């Protein structure tokens, strides 16, 4: 069943929970923003379409009519969204003119579905924006001033529509537009770690959105709402099951359920991907082995791919976690990761599907240092992967820590496409309890200069294929929505879903610009209030780093990945303990990864390698990641390491308290329900930040044997 947005609006109006703004009453003329509603629950995410205040009066002459050409489901979604959004933003319904063109028409279409757009003859400009890009232009057709949103495909037109709406949602001018956009990256995917039993690994917003028991017959309205939210920020696919994959997802009865989702998502441009368990030929297919060089195994994967494409013609491909944390893989059969990836790639290639093969591997027999292992394994295989394989690499070499230097595989793989995996779900960043905006963290990663081909070879450029040209590019996010009414648990965790989409579309956007637009769309367009919220978001990740793992410390946690456990020295594997990483003793703290230590710095290109290696030059934010330092090591501030560490923890806890105070000052400026819900979580965050400070400093103090200096605020 294809559920278009228009149909969904009707569902929403009939009382089901919807993202839709349906129900906008009459044609009001309000220019000032109305007082914030009392009870927003966050369901509408950044698609609330609250009236933009004064700007609305400038928008009305530009948006007097709406004309969306085309009769497909996607065109229907564009039409419904434009109408409902414009009505809400402008305070009254905007008529359509589907057959003619009046002054102030917003015209949306493609050369394929619109004679008007074809006649504009924007051939070269449209060619330049590719399949998913769009042009938005204020122009004239005949004598009529109009705004044209044109694209080569209807999904491109959908993205253009959301861009246009975003301009209005954020109070920007729309009367002289001339812009063209195309996504920098091809694969912009959500990675869900959802299990068939409805749980979500590292999920903090309730149970899975996917109602397997009801599928394929019954489709929750949330599936379409989810796809709409993804499309609104350019996300073009989703891997719907956990990388710790239950092989049964590939069983015929489950594939029929998966196909039902894919049908809902198709008009939104959200393609379906699955995690495949490498042992599926044995566990689902009854083949005696999963050896990738076995012909029976290759045949099984080929037949499985054919079956999937029979049900889902635009299936995107497989994501695989192999030989990692207990998952089966090619190494079980003495084969390489490349041989494993290639058997799946060959099965998908006739259908133009891709394999995303994860580099999150850390076999103990490769190297004693977990941070070095993936680089060692994968660089050896560079050039051996089929063209439709991308190696999917986490931003850092350990595991989504609050701060890691970029993974050396970025730039380090020269002949194999590398796509980035980041994590919106805040597994190690306060989960859904702490307010932590990750746009700043991801920008730090994307802007890191790998020097793979000289200065300026940033991670963003590596990902976009500008450093080692290749044909597959992408960025994915382990993502955060669940059945929680506000999708993400914490209202501010929505900003991480949003920031991921925006950065995957354009990694050169600034974290600040993204925070600003998200705030305006999600909370308020009032300049002063928006600036306060934006600034609070911008400082939130550094505050978190300060009160949890500053100066390059990492993995000071236990199994819940939430609370401080620096003393954690027992786990199934030594590299799951905290002591393995911090190496605190009376002589100092930190992991020596220098050329005098375990040589991990040598995985980076010069001069990055030398920068990290030289204790005097190493950025202090990474100091203890790369160096084991004496407690009285002199920091750039002139303080001893111990004093600096104490100051960081104290500052972090103070920053959390300041965050809370700032938030309190916004009471009455945004709707009271969301204000209160965020305030409730800030109480937890402030208490936890103090716990982190106290427990970590008490623990490290046992080694430093030095007192904790009084915090700056105490000494006043
Ligand atoms: C899905 C970390 C997480 C695991 C996760 C793993 C991975 O170790 O804690 O829950 O497994 O990363 O990315 O595969």
């Amino acid at each position: 069943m294809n559920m278009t947005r228009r149909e969904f609006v009707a569902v929403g109006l009939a009382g089901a929970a919807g993202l839709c703004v349906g129900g906008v009453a009459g044609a009001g003329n309000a220019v000032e923003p109305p007082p914030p509603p009392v009870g927003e629950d966050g369901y509408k995410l950044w698609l609330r379409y609250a009236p933009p205040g004064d700007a609305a009066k400038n928008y009305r002459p530009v948006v007097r009519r709406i004309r969306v050409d085309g009769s497909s489901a996607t065109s229907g979604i564009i039409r419904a969204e434009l109408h409902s959004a414009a009505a809400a933003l402008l305070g009254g319904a905007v008529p359509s003119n589907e057959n003619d063109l009046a002054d102030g028409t917003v015209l949306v279409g493609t050369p394929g579905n619109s004679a008007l757009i074809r006649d504009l003859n924007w051939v070269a400009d449209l060619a330049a924006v590719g399949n998913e890009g769009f042009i938005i232009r204020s122009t004239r057709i005949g004598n009529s001033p109009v705004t044209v949103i044109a694209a080569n495909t209807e999904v491109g037109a959908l993205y253009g529509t959301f861009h246009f709406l975003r301009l209005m949602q954020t109070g920007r001018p729309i009367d002289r537009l001339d812009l063209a956009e195309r996504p920098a990256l091809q694969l912009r995917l959500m990675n869900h770690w959802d299990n068939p039993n409805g749980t979500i690994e590292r999920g903090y917003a309730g149970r899975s959105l996917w109602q397997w028991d009801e599928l394929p017959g019954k489709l929750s309205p949330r599936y379409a709402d989810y796809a709409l939210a993804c499309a609104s920020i350019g996300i073009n696919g989703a891997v719907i099951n956990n990388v710790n994959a239950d092989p049964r997802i590939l069983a015929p009865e489950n594939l029929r359920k998966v196909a039902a989702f894919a049908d809902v998502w198709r008009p939104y441009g959200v393609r379906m991907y699955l995690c495949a368990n490498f042992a599926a030929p044995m566990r689902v297919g009854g083949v005696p082995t999963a050896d990738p060089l076995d012909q029976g195994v290759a045949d099984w994967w080929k037949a499985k791919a054919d079956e999937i494409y029979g049900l889902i013609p635009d299936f995107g491909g497989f994501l695989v976690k192999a030989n990692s944390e207990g998952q089966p893989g090619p190494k079980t059969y003495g084969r390489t990761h490349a041989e494993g990836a290639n058997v799946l790639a060959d099965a998908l290639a006739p259908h133009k599907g891709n394999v995303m093969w994860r580099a999150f591997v850390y076999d103990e027999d490769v190297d004693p240092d977990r941070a070095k292992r993936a680089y060692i394994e994968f660089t050896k295989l560079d050039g051996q992967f089929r063209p439709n394989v991308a190696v999917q690499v986490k931003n850092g070499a350990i595991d989504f820590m609050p701060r890691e230097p970029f993974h050396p595989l970025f730039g380090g793989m020269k002949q194999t496409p590398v796509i980035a995996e980041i994590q919106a779900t805040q597994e190690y960043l306060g989960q859904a309890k702490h307010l932590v905006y990750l746009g700043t963290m991801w920008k730090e990663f994307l802007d890191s200069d790998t020097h793979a081909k000289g200065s300026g070879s940033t991670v963003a450029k590596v990902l976009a294929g500008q450093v080692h040209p290749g044909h597959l590019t992408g960025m994915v996010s382990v993502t955060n929505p669940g059945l929680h009414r506000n999708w993400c648990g914490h209202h501010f965790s929505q900003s991480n879903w949003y920031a991921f989409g925006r950065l995957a579309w354009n990694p050169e956007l600034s974290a600040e610009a993204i925070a600003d637009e998200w705030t305006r769309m999600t909370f308020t367009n009032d300049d002063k209030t928006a600036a306060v919220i934006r600034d609070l978001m911008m400082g939130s990740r550094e505050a978190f780093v300060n009160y949890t793992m500053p100066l390059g410390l990492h993995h000071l946690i236990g199994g819940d990945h939430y609370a401080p456990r620096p003393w954690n020295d027992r786990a199934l594997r030594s590299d799951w303990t905290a002591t393995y990483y911090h190496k605190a003793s009376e002589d100092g703290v930190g992991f020596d990864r220098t050329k005098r230590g375990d040589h991990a710095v040598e995985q980076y290109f010069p001069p990055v390698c030398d920068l990290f290696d030289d204790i005097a030059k190493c950025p202090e934010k990474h100091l203890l990641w790369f160096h084991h330092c004496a407690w009285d090591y002199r920091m750039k501030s002139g303080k001893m390491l111990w004093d600096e560490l104490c100051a960081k923890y104290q500052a972090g806890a103070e920053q959390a308290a300041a965050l809370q105070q700032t938030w309190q000052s916004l009471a009455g400026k945004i709707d009271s329900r969301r204000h209160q819900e965020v305030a409730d979580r800030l109480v937890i965050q402030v208490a936890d930040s103090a716990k982190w400070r106290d427990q970590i400093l008490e623990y490290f103090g046992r080694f430093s044997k030095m007192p904790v200096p009084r915090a700056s605020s105490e000494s006043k």
Side-chain angles (χ1 to χ4, degrees):
M1 170 189 170
N2 277 345
M3 181 180 273
T4 66
R5 178 72 182 149
R6 172 161 280 189
E7 286 157 345
F8 173 60
V9 168
V11 173
L13 289 173
L19 273 179
C20 62
V21 294
V24 174
N29 283 319
V31 169
E32 290 306 316
V38 181
E40 289 204 47
D41 59 14
Y43 187 86
K44 292 175 185 169
L45 298 161
W46 47 88
L47 299 175
R48 297 160 58 248
Y49 303 119
D54 274 346
K57 67 175 182 294
N58 302 322
Y59 296 160
R60 282 197 198 96
V62 183
V63 190
R64 291 173 57 195
R65 294 277 188 280
I66 289 172
R67 171 169 171 160
V68 178
D69 284 346
S71 55
S72 69
T74 305
S75 302
I77 290 163
I78 297 173
R79 201 170 289 119
E81 193 68 9
L82 250 185
H83 274 288
S84 57
L89 286 162
L90 305 181
V94 178
S96 346
N97 59 346
E98 299 294 334
N99 299 318
D100 55 3
L101 212 57
D103 290 5
T105 295
V106 177
L107 166 69
V108 187
T110 69
N113 69 19
S114 167
L116 286 173
I117 289 184
R118 228 171 11 251
D119 291 348
L120 288 169
N121 210 15
W122 291 350
V123 180
D125 292 347
L126 278 171
V129 299
N131 271 345
E132 294 182 296
F134 54 83
I135 293 170
I136 308 182
R137 219 169 256 175
S138 312
T139 185
R140 280 183 175 271
I141 295 184
N143 285 328
S144 299
V146 296
T147 306
V148 177
I149 303 175
N152 293 308
T153 64
E154 289 175 348
V155 168
L158 178 64
Y159 293 152
T161 302
F162 276 116
H163 191 99
F164 180 69
L165 289 174
R166 184 157 50 237
L167 295 175
M168 287 201 271
Q169 287 172 280
T170 54
R172 309 273 290 279
I174 58 163
D175 53 342
R176 286 190 205 162
L177 296 176
D178 185 7
L179 56 93
E181 294 235 353
R182 66 180 294 164
L185 306 179
Q186 293 161 0
L187 305 176
R188 306 180 300 278
L189 313 182
M190 303 283 268
N191 278 194
H192 291 265
W193 286 356
D194 292 20
N195 298 312
N197 66 2
T199 58
I200 304 179
E201 182 154 350
R202 313 300 175 187
Y204 310 103
R207 290 173 65 79
S208 172
L209 289 166
W210 327 136
Q211 305 295 310
W212 291 104
D213 293 348
E214 299 176 349
L215 286 161
K218 189 170 164 203
L219 295 165
S220 153
R222 277 188 96 145
Y223 304 154
D225 286 357
Y226 165 86
L228 186 85
C230 287
S232 75
I233 47 177
I235 290 170
N236 64 358
V239 186
I240 59 167
N241 60 318
N242 193 349
V243 286
N244 293 329
D246 188 321
R248 288 169 300 176
I249 192 86
L250 297 180
E253 64 278 17
N254 290 326
L255 289 176
R256 280 193 288 280
K257 298 182 180 205
V258 173
F261 274 124
D263 289 346
V264 176
W265 291 349
R266 188 165 299 114
Y268 298 89
V270 179
R271 285 174 82 182
M272 173 62 64
Y273 294 75
L274 289 175
C275 281
N277 182 300
F278 197 75
M282 298 166 76
R283 309 247 324 255
V284 181
V287 181
T289 173
D291 181 349
L293 299 194
D294 180 275
Q295 191 55 48
V297 171
D299 291 345
W300 188 85
W301 281 113
K302 196 179 165 325
K304 188 50 71 179
D306 294 347
E307 179 189 345
I308 294 175
Y309 281 92
L311 292 163
I312 311 169
D314 57 348
F315 179 66
F318 292 129
L319 168 64
V320 186
K321 172 176 178 177
N323 293 118
S324 169
E325 300 185 335
Q327 291 303 304
K331 288 176 74 179
T332 317
Y333 305 94
R335 312 299 183 193
T336 67
H337 282 285
E339 287 167 328
N342 290 346
V343 69
L344 274 75
D346 289 343
L348 294 170
H351 307 283
K352 302 202 179 346
N354 296 316
V355 173
M356 292 154 296
W357 193 267
R358 290 178 95 223
F360 182 66
V361 296
Y362 51 104
D363 276 357
E364 278 154 310
D365 55 4
V366 174
D367 190 274
D369 181 1
R370 172 171 167 185
K372 291 169 67 183
R373 296 172 188 159
Y375 180 94
I376 294 171
E377 282 213 65
F378 276 81
T379 47
K380 272 190 213 149
L381 302 174
D382 196 9
Q384 296 179 26
F385 293 91
R386 296 280 191 268
N388 59 332
V389 177
V391 173
Q392 180 166 313
V393 184
K394 289 191 183 183
N395 56 283
I398 299 291
D399 190 7
F400 300 136
M401 295 290 104
R403 171 165 277 133
E404 297 191 45
F406 67 92
H407 200 305
L409 278 172
F410 294 105
M413 295 289 273
K414 300 185 179 111
Q415 299 168 62
T416 310
V418 168
I419 64 174
E421 178 178 316
I422 58 177
Q423 195 191 45
T425 192
Q426 295 180 236
E427 173 181 356
Y428 297 95
L429 283 118
Q431 300 171 6
K433 294 196 179 121
H434 293 213
L435 189 168
V436 188
Y437 168 59
L438 298 178
T440 47
M441 169 161 139
W442 297 333
K443 274 305 278 181
E444 183 175 294
F445 159 64
L446 291 165
D447 291 346
S448 300
D449 197 344
T450 69
H451 285 267
K453 274 204 186 158
S455 161
S457 310
T458 60
V459 169
K461 293 202 163 45
V462 170
L463 293 178
Q466 291 169 18
V467 175
H468 305 306
H471 71 284
L472 260 183
T473 61
M475 179 151 80
V476 309
S477 173
V478 178
T479 194
N480 47 10
L483 269 183
H484 192 292
R485 179 72 193 152
N486 77 7
W487 301 87
C488 298
H490 197 304
H491 290 292
F492 276 86
S493 297
Q494 296 178 353
S495 68
N496 295 327
W497 181 2
Y498 183 84
F500 160 65
R502 297 290 287 136
L503 285 172
W505 181 274
N506 180 3
E508 306 294 343
L509 287 175
S510 80
E512 191 169 22
I514 295 171
D516 188 70
E517 64 187 33
W518 177 81
T519 300
R520 288 175 182 277
M521 295 159 82
T522 306
F523 280 117
T524 176
N525 236 326
D526 172 65
D527 286 338
K528 276 198 195 133
T529 312
V532 172
I533 298 178
R534 182 196 63 215
D535 292 350
L536 156 168
M537 289 166 74
M538 289 300 291
S540 59
R541 182 268 185 146
E542 202 58 44
F544 187 86
V545 169
N546 285 341
Y547 66 73
T548 60
M549 304 182 220
L551 299 178
L553 287 168
H554 47 293
H555 215 282
L556 303 182
I557 34 83
D560 66 356
H561 296 182
Y562 179 82
R565 293 272 181 281
W567 50 85
N568 162 25
D569 61 358
R570 255 179 241 152
L572 285 173
R573 306 170 50 129
S574 63
D575 53 15
W576 287 352
T577 67
T579 51
Y580 170 92
Y581 296 97
H582 63 65
K583 304 208 181 303
S585 65
E586 289 187 14
D587 71 357
V589 60
F591 201 128
D592 186 355
R593 295 189 165 111
T594 66
K595 294 177 186 169
R596 293 151 309 283
D598 82 356
H599 299 265
V601 291
E602 289 167 6
Q603 295 184 338
Y604 292 93
F605 290 92
V608 184
C609 157
D610 307 309
L611 185 81
F612 289 156
D613 187 57
D614 182 344
I615 193 165
K617 293 198 189 127
C618 181
E620 288 187 344
K621 62 186 181 187
H622 296 315
L623 187 67
L624 303 177
W625 185 283
F626 289 112
H627 296 269
H628 187 80
C629 295
W631 293 108
D632 62 357
Y633 171 75
R634 209 41 79 182
M635 303 290 289
K636 294 197 177 93
S637 64
K639 287 193 188 111
M640 283 187 304
L641 169 63
W642 169 249
D643 289 347
E644 183 91 359
L645 199 64
C646 294
K648 286 281 181 202
Y649 278 102
Q650 286 160 337
E654 283 170 17
Q655 285 162 331
L659 207 72
Q660 185 182 36
Q661 270 178 8
T662 307
W663 186 254
Q664 284 309 343
S665 75
L666 297 176
K669 307 273 187 207
I670 62 165
D671 61 284
S672 58
R673 175 166 172 187
R674 286 187 300 165
H675 185 270
Q676 187 58 48
E677 286 171 356
V678 171
D680 291 346
R681 298 209 176 209
L682 279 163
V683 171
I684 302 171
Q685 181 167 358
V686 170
D688 286 347
S689 68
K691 262 187 222 154
W692 269 95
R693 177 198 59 204
D694 296 344
Q695 295 184 8
I696 298 275
L697 291 182
E698 189 281 324
Y699 173 79
F700 283 143
R702 296 182 210 162
F703 302 100
S704 77
K705 312 262 185 236
M706 288 192 253
V708 175
R710 274 151 50 106
S712 53
S713 54
E714 285 175 79
S715 54
K716 281 178 199 143

